[in-house]
Amino acid sequence: MEKLLLALLILVSIALPSSSLHEDQIGKFDWIQRGIGSVHLAQFDESGSADGGPARRLVVATQHNVLAVLNTKNGEIMWRHVLPIGATGTIESLNVQEGKAVIVSDNPPLLRSFDVLSGTLIKEVPLKLHYKPDSLYGKRLVQHDSSSVTVAHLTSNTAEITRFSNLKTGAQEWQHSISQPWISSESQCGLTEVSLTCVDASLGLVLSLPFSRLGKTTGKEPQFISTSLESIGLSVAVTSDDDADCKFRSIPITLQNVHGSPRHLLITSGESSSVLQVGSDGSVTPVKEAGASSGAVSVVDVTQADDAVIYRALHHKQAIRISGFSLALGTELVSRSLQFSVGAEAAVRMLVVQQYQRRGDGEVAVRALVVMHDDSVHLVASPGVLWLREEALASVLAVEAVDLPIPASSVSMHDHMAQRAGVLHSLVHRVMLQGSELLSWLAELLEDSLSPSHSSPDSPPALYRDEFNIHKLLIIATASGKIFGMDNLSGALVWSEYLPSIQPLPSDKLLLFLQRSVAHFPHPPQMVLVAMHKDSCRGVVHTFNPLTGEPTGKGLEFLPYRISQASMLAQNDQQFIKPLLVVDTSLGVHAFPSGTELSVVLPHKDVLYIATRNSTHITGHSLRSSTKESLKLTPLWSQHFPPGTIEGVYTKRPGDKVHSAGRVMADRSVLYKYTNPNLAVVVARGLDHINENLLGVYLVDLVSGAVVDWISHSRVSGPVHVIHSENWVVYTYYHDRNRRHELHSLELFEGPSQANATAFSSLAGAQRPPLVERQAYILPFGVQASAHTITEKSITTKCLLLALDTGGIAQVARWLVDPRRPMSGGGPREEGLVQYMPEVHLPSTDIISYNQTLPRVSGIYSAPTGLESTSIVFVYGLDLFFSRVFPSKMFDMLKDDFDYVLIAGALLGLVAAALITRKLAQRKALYHQWK
Amino acid sequence: MKLITLLLVVLFQHCSCQNFQDGLALDGQLIVVIEDNLSSTSEEGNTWEERSLVTVRSAKLGQVSISHTRPWNEKLSKSLQKLSKSGDFYKLRLHQQGSKEPNFVYTFADACQLYASGMREHINLMIDTTPSAGLLSQSLVGASLYSPEGRLCHSDVSRSIKGYNSTVSVRTPVPGTVPDTATYIQRIEMANKEKAENKDNRSFFAKYWIYIIPAVLLLMVSGGGQEGGR
């Protein structure tokens, strides 16, 4: 009976309004965009199309280990499977036949077959190898057609080739181990139906091993057939060796498989490329193509129909031409060529062509999937581009939100108000201005009422700030080198700019800094992107206007040095630009924009820290020895950070605000917060003497080099996610021994008095070290990425935003993981602190992504809005998700389901009642007087 | 009985011996060499001079002592005053004595503050005591230097510095906190026990008769009314 009552109570409490999202609010404040990543394998599914018509579905496999099926009508994802990250999930080959998509992935290799229509896994066959393909078996090549699978592993001096012909059982037909001195895991090789073909730039040869020879010469070492590169008509591009430690060293000559043909390979050297046909005897012959220019030829597709046709994509600036050459005739088939233009000046990376019979006249028509180097995916037919997907958005590296400008009419008033004049003059001026504003507003109103549909649908909506500054522009920098400006409320792309010559910095980051905001009218806003050059690994700085994407100032600058660190000063120069300081690898300091007067920089920046990547120590440098003419760094402090290499240095977000300087204790005394702006969390990981994982967490003052706190976790492994704000630090990790995810929380206090309430100085010397409160909590899930909410004035309580392994984005109030939560229930209690509970509860109402699953989240970005209660959240990774959060509920705004009618009705009713009763009372009093 | 006493003595000796060995083996004595640099930061060149030795007997227990190998002299005072006037830093370089390739650790303090306080300095050494791969049981990781009372600084006043006035402290890593499940479970068990003790063991009817009887009466009355109305 009691249980029944309890159940009733729960039912009643559920029925009451809760703080979470209502079903009808889904999509009101949030949006989600699903992505697949950069496509590297694709094939049209021809089974669903009626009598040779165009295919309805397109199967793609991406470098993000996603297998997906796209609708060829609109490019929407019909289904997708996200395979594990890293080498185990890499999709090595794709073969679509009879409504089934067959892939080879995993280690040891697995043959999986999916139903194209529904996405269900039909069959999984392990391909049995006689050796264990671990990390020693470096490079894997897979050749896969309808009847057989060939797997080759290349290691130093050895190639292991295995052929599987029975795809039902995974039994091998034959396997061979070949030793050659020139084979390495970096060898450029390609597997065809009949041979293993490699190209070696140092030998200047194309080496081919026909499989037909393998069967006959048992016991004897099979010989490679060599063809010189000159006979093919290619020369090896000479590369300079001065950038030997550049991470992505360009390979002088590459060999890749040709889509659609198991007997052709594409060889590329520098700008020129050629298609090779491999004969069953191992002979390699270049395919002669009439009219194929030696220019920017990129990708080829061979269709093995009754007449084999080679398709090539040539690009000239933004125009792309796909032309078909008949192999039998050796002439160009003009009717089968396509022409279109793309938005960015990018080269074609991949081309997949489908030939089909047009329904009306039975002519052969052509449709092509074009993947560009900026990761955009286009489906092209004779009328032009049918649809386009920006898959660069699946690899976002940096996000920054920019406030939108206020409309020009209100700007003019603010601008003129700044002029100094007499009181009367300014009054007259103001009245006139407001009068003109009123007139323009009336004119606008009139115009609107006369022509309600005057805004044409194709013109982009005007980007102006809304009432509460929630509408912003998100500037997104991606790993492919494409930068986007995105409307945060709709997710629509406002502009995009492709920089083909850049790549992420060695730490896999791109840096975005907003040097000038929109607040300095008439100066345009300015943003700067710091990246690395693709070939030389030297620094690149790109300055642009974030509202339009157009380059400003010097635009794209190629620097003659490599970048070690970049940071932006908090102070403006006379042009309201915050200078960017770039430190190169030989400790030179450079300010951007390059004309910046050093008198702006010097008084504000004293000590810079330099953390070398994968090192064990950090060195602090001073700018004090700089002169007015040039900046100079001198080393000041150096510290080691055991137990291993430094994983990350996490400073506070620039401009991090602390609303109240102290915290009221249970006995009404005040405990002051330790808000050192130079404090950073340094995380180092290594192994101890018995090879157990160790994690060292340091709180370091980056100016003085003093360590404020030092925690050593034993048997703890990563990934470590750190959130650092105000006077607290929260980090998550995996505990090896307890086999669970844990969260460690730190809070720093100066004590009952403040040393210097107005200005903090790291060099003043600590009177006493700060008090550090520590506590650990159990997390029920693992964490993919973390951040905290940011509001305008930091009055609202902060929330942690955790992207969970389960795919949800959890909003966890900071007080839930407060290290000061009391262990016992007795005694006076501090405000807002409940008794300690070891587990952090994550109720489903705190998942801001409700039932949406977000796989592979790589980061969360949060920005304040004009409303103190509201903070915007942008989650990026494979998918993009945007939402608003209200960490302390919506205290400064009425709920959108607020009942205005009821309130107004009640108010009117009360006024009416008051009037009537007053009248009645007056009359009664009058009667009383007459009596 | 004798045997037990003997065994106890042996055990006791064994234990004390082990403790003693722990003290030696895990906290092997560490000597840190401190060198200083009184030249201006903008000047080039290595002008490091050895000035003190710090003996760390046990980092965990905070047993440290400092001895100065170079006495303070007037020339050093002059250089420090010069540094302090130009707003420069007094720099220290530390390394472990006896290591083949010295792993230097650098730190600094505002020269003006040190000068104003009369060379009162506080050196904080970071000693790693976790047994990690490739490192000794006690190793110097970092250091920081500051003047304990030197926030206000007047470089114009010339002071006579009699000698070093050094204090040394040691910081060792704090082991990471583990979620305190034991106390929580204990608390829950206590609460459950309390609940069990205070549990009302009466039957359902005995507990709620005051609600049930009026309800039944009401039903009877209303039912009777209906019957009567028929």
Side-chain angles (χ1 to χ4, degrees):
Chain A
M1 188 66 196
E2 276 169 319
K3 273 182 186 162
L4 199 81
L5 277 169
L6 198 76
L8 256 170
L9 252 170
I10 289 169
L11 263 175
V12 167
S13 64
I14 287 170
L16 286 173
S18 62
S19 63
S20 65
L21 201 73
H22 293 271
E23 201 179 343
D24 60 325
Q25 285 178 313
I26 286 175
K28 196 166 183 183
F29 302 123
D30 61 285
W31 51 259
I32 187 160
Q33 278 182 16
R34 301 283 185 192
I36 49 174
S38 70
V39 174
H40 75 127
L41 293 170
Q43 204 173 336
F44 286 96
D45 169 39
E46 290 173 27
S47 65
S49 57
D51 48 274
R56 292 198 195 126
R57 283 170 290 272
L58 174 68
V59 187
V60 292
T62 71
Q63 281 163 5
H64 287 64
N65 301 354
V66 175
L67 179 73
V69 168
L70 304 178
N71 188 339
T72 50
K73 273 201 185 110
N74 48 20
E76 275 169 16
I77 302 170
M78 297 172 86
W79 56 261
R80 67 167 186 190
H81 287 304
V82 183
L83 301 183
I85 202 157
T88 50
T90 310
I91 300 168
E92 321 249 8
S93 74
L94 170 73
N95 192 20
V96 182
Q97 229 161 28
E98 290 154 8
K100 280 187 273 184
V102 187
I103 61 164
V104 174
S105 70
D106 222 314
N107 201 15
L110 281 176
L111 188 80
R112 289 194 189 121
S113 150
F114 294 90
D115 183 46
V116 172
L117 207 60
S118 63
T120 46
L121 179 68
I122 300 168
K123 200 170 68 181
E124 189 177 82
V125 179
L127 299 177
K128 293 168 202 109
L129 298 171
H130 75 285
Y131 52 88
K132 203 177 172 289
D134 52 6
S135 56
L136 287 172
Y137 283 87
K139 191 176 186 178
R140 182 195 286 176
L141 302 167
V142 178
Q143 206 276 325
H144 178 189
D145 51 50
S146 51
S147 59
S148 68
V149 173
T150 317
V151 178
H153 277 97
L154 304 180
T155 51
S156 54
N157 306 337
T158 318
E160 299 266 3
I161 312 172
T162 315
R163 164 72 65 95
F164 302 90
S165 56
N166 188 345
L167 299 186
K168 282 201 176 100
T169 58
Q172 39 177 273
E173 186 185 339
W174 49 257
Q175 69 85 21
H176 282 279
S177 176
I178 297 122
S179 300
Q180 284 288 330
W182 51 268
I183 297 177
S184 76
S185 56
E186 265 100 57
S187 289
Q188 280 296 315
C189 290
L191 269 180
T192 62
E193 205 175 38
V194 289
S195 71
L196 170 75
T197 307
C198 295
V199 60
D200 195 294
S202 57
L203 298 173
L205 290 175
V206 175
L207 299 134
S208 189
L209 179 74
F211 297 152
S212 53
R213 280 198 182 189
L214 286 174
K216 289 169 196 161
T217 57
T218 39
K220 213 169 83 183
E221 186 75 356
Q223 286 298 310
F224 276 80
I225 295 169
S226 58
T227 317
S228 72
L229 281 172
E230 281 84 50
S231 67
I232 294 164
L234 279 177
S235 57
V236 182
V238 181
T239 50
S240 52
D241 278 333
D242 65 339
D243 48 12
D245 56 334
C246 188
K247 197 176 159 193
F248 303 98
R249 202 147 45 96
S250 56
I251 302 150
I253 195 154
T254 60
L255 199 64
Q256 36 190 141
N257 279 59
V258 167
H259 177 264
S261 164
R263 286 214 180 183
H264 288 88
L265 291 166
L266 177 72
I267 188 163
T268 317
S269 168
E271 290 280 275
S272 55
S273 65
S274 177
V275 183
L276 304 179
Q277 184 163 19
V278 186
S280 45
D281 56 345
S283 62
V284 174
T285 42
V287 173
K288 285 189 181 66
E289 292 167 77
S293 67
S294 61
V297 178
S298 359
V299 186
V300 182
D301 182 38
V302 179
T303 45
Q304 293 289 82
D306 44 351
D307 54 337
V309 180
I310 279 196
Y311 287 95
R312 264 178 185 257
L314 290 106
H315 82 111
H316 180 69
K317 285 190 174 163
Q318 294 183 346
I320 290 169
R321 185 183 152 82
I322 297 165
S323 40
F325 297 91
S326 166
L327 276 182
L329 303 169
T331 52
E332 185 179 345
L333 301 166
V334 184
S335 64
R336 297 195 193 172
S337 58
L338 296 170
Q339 265 178 338
F340 66 105
S341 63
V342 287
E345 211 174 290
V348 179
R349 204 185 64 210
M350 199 180 125
L351 175 71
V352 176
V353 176
Q354 192 210 2
Q355 295 184 142
Y356 62 94
Q357 308 253 302
R358 211 178 292 153
R359 198 161 292 163
D361 47 10
E363 284 280 305
V364 175
V366 169
R367 222 159 41 153
L369 176 84
V370 182
V371 183
M372 315 289 288
H373 270 288
D374 65 356
D375 289 349
S376 59
V377 181
H378 304 252
L379 189 75
V380 191
S382 47
V385 179
L386 296 182
W387 49 259
L388 148 77
R389 288 184 69 92
E390 288 287 2
E391 285 305 332
L393 290 171
S395 49
V396 176
L397 290 182
V399 179
E400 201 66 50
V402 179
D403 289 349
L404 292 171
I406 41 179
S409 51
S410 29
V411 171
S412 64
M413 189 186 97
H414 290 286
D415 187 42
H416 287 287
M417 280 306 287
Q419 287 178 355
R420 282 186 163 271
V423 179
L424 198 72
H425 186 84
S426 72
L427 180 77
V428 170
H429 192 82
R430 195 189 174 115
V431 167
M432 274 169 69
L433 266 168
Q434 282 181 338
S436 71
E437 215 166 282
L438 187 74
L439 280 176
S440 68
W441 179 71
L442 282 174
E444 221 169 87
L445 214 66
L446 206 70
E447 202 176 307
D448 272 5
S449 62
L450 285 177
S451 55
S453 58
H454 72 105
S455 58
S456 53
D458 51 289
S459 72
L463 284 169
Y464 287 122
R465 194 179 296 197
D466 61 351
E467 205 178 350
F468 298 121
N469 196 11
I470 293 167
H471 195 187
K472 284 167 193 278
L473 196 66
L474 297 171
I475 310 301
I476 298 169
T478 63
S480 68
K482 203 165 191 181
I483 320 168
F484 297 94
M486 186 188 263
D487 186 328
N488 72 335
L489 294 187
S490 63
L493 295 176
V494 178
W495 57 264
S496 69
E497 173 93 20
Y498 177 54
L499 306 172
S501 56
I502 68 160
Q503 65 173 8
L505 293 165
S507 52
D508 278 329
K509 272 184 197 162
L510 285 171
L511 302 173
L512 274 178
F513 298 100
L514 184 65
Q515 287 192 298
R516 183 165 58 200
S517 71
V518 288
H520 305 286
F521 188 82
H523 297 289
Q526 187 173 318
M527 200 170 224
V528 65
L529 172 81
V530 181
M532 192 163 85
H533 194 267
K534 232 173 208 157
D535 301 329
S536 65
C537 291
R538 290 186 181 134
V540 175
V541 168
H542 178 56
T543 317
F544 60 99
N545 180 345
L547 294 180
T548 58
E550 286 158 8
T552 55
K554 285 192 176 169
L556 194 64
E557 280 179 78
F558 297 103
L559 309 176
Y561 43 80
R562 290 192 191 177
I563 292 173
S564 167
Q565 196 198 34
S567 59
M568 190 174 68
L569 289 188
Q571 281 75 24
N572 298 335
D573 66 358
Q574 282 82 24
Q575 300 293 310
F576 307 103
I577 287 180
K578 290 174 182 164
L580 174 78
L581 282 190
V582 171
V583 182
D584 63 35
T585 39
S586 51
L587 292 182
V589 193
H590 313 269
F592 287 90
S594 38
T596 309
E597 283 179 39
L598 299 182
S599 55
V600 183
V601 178
L602 288 177
H604 303 297
K605 200 84 186 177
D606 216 7
V607 180
L608 285 169
Y609 79 94
I610 311 280
T612 331
R613 225 162 49 89
N614 295 331
S615 75
T616 56
H617 69 279
I618 294 180
T619 317
H621 295 259
S622 168
L623 277 172
R624 271 204 193 181
S625 54
S626 314
T627 54
K628 282 249 156 66
E629 286 78 45
S630 69
L631 294 170
K632 199 181 154 212
L633 284 179
T634 39
L636 269 189
W637 59 265
S638 177
Q639 291 262 5
H640 296 275
F641 292 90
T645 50
I646 295 168
E647 280 228 324
V649 179
Y650 304 89
T651 55
K652 283 177 204 175
R653 189 179 155 272
D656 189 47
K657 287 178 188 133
V658 184
H659 181 253
S660 84
R663 197 157 151 172
V664 183
M665 298 282 97
D667 59 352
R668 301 288 107 195
S669 64
V670 175
L671 195 60
Y672 286 98
K673 292 175 183 172
Y674 180 76
T675 52
N676 181 350
N678 307 318
L679 197 71
V681 182
V682 177
V683 174
R685 274 167 63 184
L687 298 171
D688 68 358
H689 61 304
I690 46 168
N691 277 344
E692 294 277 9
N693 285 314
L694 278 180
L695 172 74
V697 178
Y698 302 82
L699 300 185
V700 187
D701 187 312
L702 288 178
V703 170
S704 67
V707 171
V708 170
D709 200 34
W710 178 9
I711 302 165
S712 165
H713 293 270
S714 59
R715 292 190 173 195
V716 158
S717 58
V720 181
H721 295 279
V722 180
I723 308 172
H724 185 193
S725 174
E726 295 185 1
N727 66 327
W728 52 266
V729 176
V730 167
Y731 55 92
T732 60
Y733 50 85
Y734 183 75
H735 202 291
D736 290 341
R737 197 180 50 209
N738 293 337
R739 289 188 188 145
R740 64 190 178 200
H741 295 277
E742 287 183 5
L743 181 147
H744 207 270
S745 176
L746 302 172
E747 193 163 9
L748 293 99
F749 292 99
E750 259 188 57
S753 65
Q754 264 181 308
N756 188 345
T758 49
F760 185 90
S761 171
S762 292
L763 296 177
Q767 284 298 81
R768 55 177 173 271
L771 309 167
V772 185
E773 299 277 350
R774 303 180 191 93
Q775 190 56 272
Y777 292 88
I778 300 167
L779 270 182
F781 303 109
V783 176
Q784 301 185 64
S786 67
H788 63 90
T789 58
I790 301 158
T791 54
E792 182 87 28
K793 302 251 183 278
S794 285
I795 299 169
T796 311
T797 43
K798 285 208 166 150
C799 271
L800 314 179
L801 296 166
L802 304 176
L804 305 175
D805 278 346
T806 52
I809 311 295
Q811 177 188 353
V812 184
R814 225 285 298 184
W815 62 263
L816 260 180
V817 294
D818 195 303
R820 299 181 59 81
R821 280 177 71 174
M823 293 303 282
S824 62
R829 260 194 212 173
E830 254 176 74
E831 225 175 284
L833 283 188
V834 291
Q835 223 174 336
Y836 176 75
M837 248 172 46
E839 192 175 2
V840 181
H841 276 279
L842 299 172
S844 54
T845 48
D846 284 354
I847 306 289
I848 60 167
S849 57
Y850 43 101
N851 62 355
Q852 310 266 31
T853 307
L854 296 157
R856 304 248 185 91
V857 175
S858 57
I860 304 174
Y861 176 81
S862 170
T865 63
L867 281 174
E868 175 56 33
S869 66
T870 312
S871 172
I872 57 168
V873 174
F874 180 65
V875 182
Y876 53 92
L878 193 60
D879 301 338
L880 303 180
F881 175 73
F882 173 86
S883 188
R884 291 183 213 173
V885 290
F886 314 99
S888 305
K889 311 272 156 25
M890 264 175 153
F891 59 79
D892 51 3
M893 213 174 138
L894 292 174
K895 281 246 166 73
D896 49 312
D897 56 350
F898 184 79
D899 202 340
Y900 293 96
V901 177
L902 185 74
I903 288 286
L907 202 68
L908 281 173
L910 278 172
V911 169
L915 286 173
I916 293 161
T917 46
R918 188 162 168 247
K919 209 82 182 171
L920 287 173
Q922 275 175 349
R923 196 183 288 176
K924 197 181 175 186
L926 196 68
Y927 280 137
H928 196 74
Q929 296 264 311
W930 277 105
K931 265 183 191 169
Chain B
M1 191 65 203
K2 259 184 190 170
L3 198 78
I4 292 172
T5 328
L6 197 75
L7 204 74
L8 271 175
V9 167
V10 169
L11 266 176
F12 179 72
Q13 273 186 342
H14 187 73
C15 288
S16 61
C17 178
Q18 208 160 37
N19 281 343
F20 182 62
Q21 271 180 348
D22 273 355
L24 265 182
L26 289 176
D27 290 348
Q29 189 167 294
L30 175 80
I31 296 170
V32 177
V33 182
I34 303 181
E35 294 163 298
D36 69 355
N37 188 343
L38 280 159
S39 62
S40 154
T41 311
S42 49
E43 277 171 37
E44 297 290 327
N46 282 326
T47 47
W48 297 101
E49 262 182 64
E50 187 183 317
R51 55 156 268 206
S52 316
L53 288 176
V54 177
T55 315
V56 183
R57 221 161 271 120
S58 162
K60 276 179 185 160
L61 302 173
Q63 292 172 346
V64 277
S65 59
I66 186 164
S67 63
H68 302 289
T69 50
R70 180 192 63 186
W72 189 263
N73 56 40
E74 201 50 41
K75 199 183 151 210
L76 294 172
S77 279
K78 282 258 165 60
S79 326
L80 189 64
Q81 192 182 8
K82 201 178 134 201
L83 275 185
S84 133
K85 269 187 182 157
S86 60
D88 218 325
F89 300 118
Y90 171 70
K91 295 175 288 298
L92 285 187
R93 182 168 87 169
L94 301 93
H95 67 95
Q96 269 170 247
Q97 199 180 49
S99 49
K100 277 174 196 163
E101 280 172 38
N103 237 340
F104 288 115
V105 162
Y106 296 84
T107 184
F108 70 101
D110 201 355
C112 181
Q113 286 173 15
L114 277 180
Y115 184 71
S117 67
M119 207 54 205
R120 262 192 73 181
E121 55 174 12
H122 189 130
I123 302 168
N124 190 7
L125 299 179
M126 279 169 61
I127 308 284
D128 190 8
T129 50
T130 47
S132 61
L135 281 172
L136 298 171
S137 58
Q138 274 201 140
S139 57
L140 178 72
V141 163
S144 62
L145 169 75
Y146 59 88
S147 175
E149 38 136 26
R151 251 175 291 125
L152 282 173
C153 165
H154 304 286
S155 53
D156 317 327
V157 191
S158 61
R159 287 190 58 135
S160 63
I161 299 171
K162 291 183 187 83
Y164 303 102
N165 187 350
S166 314
T167 16
V168 185
S169 62
V170 173
R171 182 188 276 278
T172 51
V174 184
T177 320
V178 180
D180 191 355
T181 43
T183 320
Y184 180 72
I185 292 167
Q186 212 175 6
R187 206 169 70 204
I188 297 285
E189 274 171 3
M190 287 279 278
N192 280 346
K193 208 185 271 173
E194 224 163 80
K195 213 186 250 174
E197 273 168 16
N198 298 341
K199 207 177 171 185
D200 201 346
N201 282 326
R202 288 176 297 171
S203 70
F204 178 74
F205 190 75
K207 256 192 268 183
Y208 300 106
W209 65 272
I210 41 164
Y211 307 110
I212 294 164
I213 286 173
V216 168
L217 277 176
L218 205 76
L219 271 172
M220 279 169 72
V221 167
S222 64
Q226 268 174 15
E227 262 172 43
R230 226 179 250 172

